[in-house]
Amino acid sequence: MKILVIGLGYIGLPTSIMFANHGQEVVGVDVSERVVKSLNNGTIHIEEPGLQEELDRAIEVGNFRASMQAEEADAFIISVPTPNNNDALKSCDLSYVKSAVVSILPYLKKGNTVIIESTIAPRTTEDVVKPILEEAGFIVGKDIFLVHCPERVLPGQIIHELIYNNRIIGGMTEACTEAGKKVYGVFVKGELISAKASTAEMSKLMENTYRDVNIALANELAKISADLGINAIDVIDMANKHPRVNLHFPGPGVGGHCLAVDPYFIAAASPDYSPLIQQARAINTSMPSCIVAQVKTMMERVGGKKIAIFGLTYKGDIDDIRESPANEIWEMLIKETSYEIVAYDPHVNIPAVEKNSEIATANADLLLILADHAEFKTLNMDSISNMNQQIVFDTKNIANELATAETYIHMGNLSEISRESVESQILAV
Ligand code: SAJ
């Protein structure tokens, strides 16, 4: 089978390489010349464990090449970004999906399968994509098989999860679903679950919304516990001993291109019926300013000047700072001109980010941990011995060996910071 994958990002690239390494001829198409050149020269442009080795293999066998131009194929997989629109409810921007579909029209033949992997607003496959194919003269379900097959992989574990996760195959018709199963059956070892396209769209969105709402509940618990002088982390540990309870964890906010984006697609599609989803988003987006307020209170109390930020990515062990609350906090603190801010992140390669942890902590008054990178889990008192004052605010509650520092604050014991700053943030939501 020849497969054309449009969009060589965090999902499209690993997906292309998996097909290539399972005996298919794959052409990956991307609008970025830099990405296409880099891949054809054998170098991946994203950080994902094991992916470089997989690309090496695909190129050696000769099954993968990148191109800026679409061409004929048996199956077309669209894996382009779907950001939020800049409207009141941050609806789903389908412009990249639409132009990707239009770009393959000249190369479509009867019998081809068109798969949308991009995360899309409910009903998009039926109401937006299908009409484009029909206008080009194809009968969906007979000439062309149209499927929405959302990806559900976790960054950092993409290769394993692509193979072993269950996959929802949401066809416009049963024949479409069958065609989609034939494509993914090439390498997916998880169950291929038949669904309607609209069910597939909504279930993908709800998976991330479920997590977002639960994290909002944990963040609200952290604020309530700060107000009432209770340790939120102890509460979560305790409550989760109940066999049917799974409280999530509070933190500096919710980032990434999924949890912080997808709930809006549902809210915008059905604004009157989604108050809980909208409120959860508001709670989670309030967290960066909540953390900044607490940092300011701590710095004021100790007369501090320098803050060392550890971790800018939206979660641990990845290099992705898109939609990262840590990055937002960094930007907010930089604006506070009375502080000297040094950000250290071993995973982020941009000039403004310090690469040496000792330079970051030297003479610092506060260590602010914002990402749960493996490197930070082993921080110990030696790691912070060159600080001016050993004050630690560990928003991910991971550097437990720092618990003996002069002050060790995490999302459980926020009540140790002044009550007023927390209260003002509660009111802000
Ligand atoms: N977070 C918390 N508290 C928690 C758990 C996470 O604050 O208890 C934060 C993280 O720090 C991060 C954000 O939430 O900022 C999102 O992290 P994540 O690990 O939950 O999710 P993603 O965005 O990396 O990946 C999610 C996954 N979805 C689910 O687990 C339901 C993944 O399976 C999806 O494929 C992916 O979204 C996607 O592409 O939709």
Side-chain angles (χ1 to χ4, degrees):
M1 186 169 20
K2 180 175 171 188
I3 300 174
L4 197 90
V5 178
I6 304 199
L8 296 173
Y10 280 83
I11 301 301
L13 178 60
T15 303
S16 304
I17 296 175
M18 291 318 293
F19 277 112
N21 285 343
H22 285 78
Q24 313 304 311
E25 182 192 347
V26 179
V27 180
V29 178
D30 203 284
V31 290
S32 161
E33 195 178 345
R34 179 186 64 85
V35 167
V36 168
K37 271 194 182 153
S38 162
L39 291 171
N40 283 334
N41 287 332
T43 311
I44 58 169
H45 61 290
I46 54 176
E47 186 180 312
E48 178 60 33
L51 189 59
Q52 181 62 57
E53 293 74 8
E54 292 284 341
L55 177 66
D56 295 346
R57 214 145 63 81
I59 287 182
E60 204 182 296
V61 182
N63 275 351
F64 174 81
R65 68 188 154 86
S67 168
M68 293 186 70
Q69 176 64 43
E71 57 189 82
E72 288 192 353
D74 302 302
F76 296 80
I77 297 180
I78 292 174
S79 185
V80 293
T82 46
N84 295 108
N85 276 315
N86 201 11
D87 51 22
L89 281 171
K90 299 192 172 191
S91 61
C92 178
D93 176 356
L94 289 169
S95 53
Y96 300 108
V97 171
K98 285 192 227 166
S99 63
V101 175
V102 168
S103 80
I104 61 172
L105 288 178
Y107 309 101
L108 276 184
K109 301 182 303 289
K110 283 190 177 179
N112 286 167
T113 303
V114 174
I115 298 169
I116 312 293
E117 275 213 20
S118 304
T119 304
I120 44 183
R123 302 200 54 85
T124 299
T125 311
E126 184 165 354
D127 295 349
V128 179
V129 180
K130 186 169 163 253
I132 299 177
L133 298 176
E134 284 171 343
E135 266 166 44
F138 295 107
I139 301 173
V140 170
K142 200 161 161 262
D143 302 335
I144 295 285
F145 303 105
L146 174 61
V147 192
H148 175 53
C149 183
E151 54 74 19
R152 303 152 97 194
V153 292
L154 202 62
Q157 300 176 28
I158 291 181
I159 291 168
H160 176 88
E161 294 209 350
L162 272 179
I163 299 176
Y164 293 100
N165 282 2
N166 296 337
R167 205 75 208 226
I168 304 175
I169 316 286
M172 272 316 307
T173 65
E174 273 173 32
C176 294
T177 305
E178 287 316 306
K181 282 187 172 177
K182 244 184 233 152
V183 175
Y184 289 99
V186 163
F187 70 82
V188 174
K189 294 203 165 68
E191 192 187 345
L192 299 175
I193 306 163
S194 307
K196 283 184 178 174
S198 57
T199 312
E201 291 161 348
M202 194 60 154
S203 74
K204 161 72 188 187
L205 297 171
M206 276 312 284
E207 289 160 15
N208 285 333
T209 302
Y210 164 86
R211 238 168 125 67
D212 193 51
V213 169
N214 276 285
I215 296 166
L217 184 63
N219 284 330
E220 189 160 284
L221 168 67
K223 291 178 178 186
I224 294 169
S225 301
D227 181 39
L228 301 179
I230 295 167
N231 188 317
I233 300 291
D234 289 348
V235 171
I236 292 169
D237 285 346
M238 214 52 63
N240 284 351
K241 291 192 191 304
H242 186 291
R244 286 174 295 282
V245 173
N246 178 24
L247 284 173
H248 287 44
F249 284 90
V254 168
H257 203 65
C258 308
L259 273 66
V261 175
D262 298 358
Y264 292 117
F265 295 178
I266 302 177
S270 185
D272 294 344
Y273 296 97
S274 53
L276 178 63
I277 294 172
Q278 293 177 42
Q279 184 64 18
R281 281 281 71 233
I283 292 169
N284 288 338
T285 54
S286 79
M287 292 313 290
S289 51
C290 176
I291 299 292
V292 167
Q294 287 155 345
V295 164
K296 281 162 77 176
T297 307
M298 290 170 88
M299 289 294 277
E300 225 165 82
R301 191 182 296 166
V302 298
K305 171 106 185 90
K306 179 175 170 183
I307 302 173
I309 294 179
F310 272 34
L312 293 173
T313 56
Y314 83 86
K315 66 177 191 177
D317 302 330
I318 58 166
D319 67 345
D320 194 349
I321 57 171
R322 294 178 303 173
E323 314 282 339
S324 167
N327 196 33
E328 198 182 328
I329 290 168
W330 181 34
E331 283 169 1
M332 286 162 92
L333 285 172
I334 287 171
K335 286 193 191 120
E336 301 287 330
T337 47
S338 51
Y339 303 140
E340 181 194 341
I341 311 285
V342 179
Y344 162 70
D345 193 316
H347 295 261
V348 178
N349 268 322
I350 50 174
V353 176
E354 178 55 58
K355 277 281 164 207
N356 180 328
S357 65
E358 282 177 38
I359 293 178
T361 50
N363 297 318
D365 299 290
L366 175 72
L367 170 60
L368 176 62
I369 300 174
L370 297 174
D372 45 358
H373 292 318
E375 293 90 337
F376 301 162
K377 292 182 183 160
T378 52
L379 287 172
N380 55 33
M381 293 305 289
D382 281 346
S383 329
I384 61 168
S385 59
N386 66 354
M387 286 178 71
N388 184 34
Q389 310 189 64
Q390 291 177 333
I391 300 175
V392 179
F393 185 7
D394 179 0
T395 65
K396 301 302 285 186
N397 194 33
I398 48 153
N400 296 333
E401 282 188 51
L402 299 183
T404 51
E406 213 173 298
T407 305
Y408 178 68
I409 299 289
H410 52 78
M411 298 304 285
N413 64 357
L414 291 177
S415 60
E416 289 180 24
I417 310 175
S418 91
R419 245 182 98 168
E420 306 86 81
S421 74
V422 176
E423 267 173 4
S424 65
Q425 288 309 314
I426 287 174
L427 295 176
V429 177

